[in-house]
Amino acid sequence: MQRFSSDDKAFSLPETVFELCQYLGFSEIKQAQWAWYELSGAVLSQYLFDENQRFSALLTWFYQERRFCEKAEYFSIDAADLGRCLLTRQGNSTTLATALMLLGRELDLNTSLLLLPGTTVMACRIGTEVHYVDPLSGKRLSREQLHALVRGELGNWAPMKDSYLKPATVQQVLTRMLHELKAGCIVERQFEAALACCNVILDWEPDDLNLHRERAFIAQQLGAIKVASADLQYFIDNNPHDPIVELVKMQLQELGEEQQVFH
């Protein structure tokens, strides 16, 4: 049985995130839960009758009173760990947006997350209008500013796809968090934890070819040459026309010359 089911209905926020982070060796569930209980209780003081006023009160409370902000070490494990974000009140766009979204739901606001390329945005629907918030600053964003974020990540030619404005599922949010935790592990050279992140994502998305190639790099850092070779071969077999496949073949040949190291 998989440690974490691939069924989106089996997931919940923030509980599944806390479980994942403890499973991967990051924040402890109990500490994260107590931080969440404290915040989710305290935010109820902002429950105003008018939805627009309630939404504005949430933003003021979150950013000015509770002082949530962008973490200086933006690409670190701590910034990508929701439990640490709740404890320290610092995070990246995904953890801050998730915290803000969940607290908004405590106030009966219709909040959701948008997973734009390279960043996460919180959305709140009030009546027929959707408000977008930059989770790093609390500033409201227009549709044009959302498109500017996309262009900043993908280039000036990048279109604003309708899919970018579709609320993310819980599993999509968890997958993005795991990718960001994995990236933080690589930056901090915690390759065993990075490998564990890859394994959880691949349980859910076994056909992600780029992730197989990335896991090959991580496994190589740990001396797990057989795992790395198998992932590179999987990439080659399933993506024979990719422009980088010749480079991957060279990497596979080099791995064949290395000695397997057991940990």
Side-chain angles (χ1 to χ4, degrees):
M1 181 181 293
Q2 294 177 349
R3 176 62 178 82
F4 291 94
S5 167
S6 59
D7 181 4
D8 188 72
K9 294 180 181 178
F11 299 136
S12 62
L13 292 173
E15 293 81 9
T16 306
V17 184
F18 297 159
E19 292 175 12
L20 270 170
C21 287
Q22 178 161 290
Y23 170 71
L24 294 166
F26 306 133
S27 59
E28 295 289 330
I29 286 179
K30 287 186 178 180
Q31 290 182 329
Q33 285 177 330
W34 279 114
W36 167 243
Y37 295 152
E38 189 275 328
L39 288 165
S40 61
V43 76
L44 295 177
S45 64
Q46 308 305 307
Y47 203 112
L48 304 175
F49 177 77
D50 182 82
E51 273 193 295
N52 281 292
Q53 292 180 354
R54 201 186 317 156
F55 180 50
S56 295
L58 169 66
L59 296 180
T60 299
W61 181 85
F62 190 81
Y63 290 100
Q64 297 180 26
E65 294 185 25
R66 294 294 167 145
R67 299 186 180 278
F68 277 86
C69 63
E70 176 181 356
K71 187 170 179 62
E73 298 80 17
Y74 186 85
F75 297 103
S76 65
I77 295 171
D78 280 355
D81 182 331
L82 180 62
R84 293 298 302 166
C85 175
L86 296 175
L87 285 162
T88 65
R89 300 177 191 176
Q90 299 178 58
N92 64 17
S93 67
T94 304
T95 51
L96 288 169
T98 302
L100 184 60
M101 175 194 72
L102 292 172
L103 290 165
R105 290 180 179 179
E106 293 294 307
L107 296 177
D108 294 330
L109 292 169
N110 184 5
T111 54
S112 60
L113 298 185
L114 307 183
L115 303 183
L116 302 184
T119 193
T120 303
V121 169
M122 200 215 52
C124 181
R125 177 177 290 277
I126 300 176
T128 59
E129 188 176 3
V130 180
H131 303 266
Y132 305 105
V133 178
D134 177 358
L136 300 178
S137 65
K139 294 180 179 179
R140 310 285 184 100
L141 297 171
S142 66
R143 289 281 293 270
E144 291 74 19
Q145 288 171 315
L146 293 180
H147 193 188
L149 290 173
V150 173
R151 293 200 307 269
E153 180 70 17
L154 301 181
N156 286 331
W157 51 268
M160 186 63 186
K161 298 179 180 179
D162 291 340
S163 60
Y164 296 154
L165 299 178
K166 184 178 180 181
T169 66
V170 175
Q171 185 172 345
Q172 288 172 332
V173 173
L174 292 172
T175 300
R176 172 159 288 196
M177 285 185 172
L178 281 168
H179 276 291
E180 292 171 349
L181 284 164
K182 168 178 55 65
C185 291
I186 293 173
V187 168
E188 298 177 32
R189 302 190 66 80
Q190 294 190 28
F191 293 112
E192 290 186 2
L195 185 62
C197 290
C198 284
N199 290 338
V200 174
I201 303 170
L202 284 170
D203 277 347
W204 301 340
E205 301 176 1
D207 299 327
D208 187 331
L209 296 177
N210 289 324
L211 188 56
H212 276 280
R213 184 169 179 241
E214 188 170 6
R215 185 171 69 172
F217 164 77
I218 295 167
Q220 185 179 8
Q221 307 310 304
L222 293 168
I225 307 305
K226 288 183 179 179
V227 174
S229 298
D231 274 327
L232 291 180
Q233 189 63 58
Y234 184 89
F235 182 94
I236 294 167
D237 293 343
N238 291 277
N239 207 19
H241 304 298
D242 192 290
I244 67 168
V245 76
E246 292 303 319
L247 175 60
V248 176
K249 288 179 179 178
M250 291 175 58
Q251 291 176 310
L252 183 60
Q253 183 177 357
E254 292 172 0
L255 283 178
E257 299 170 359
E258 293 187 30
Q259 182 179 2
Q260 173 73 44
V261 178
F262 295 93
H263 290 269

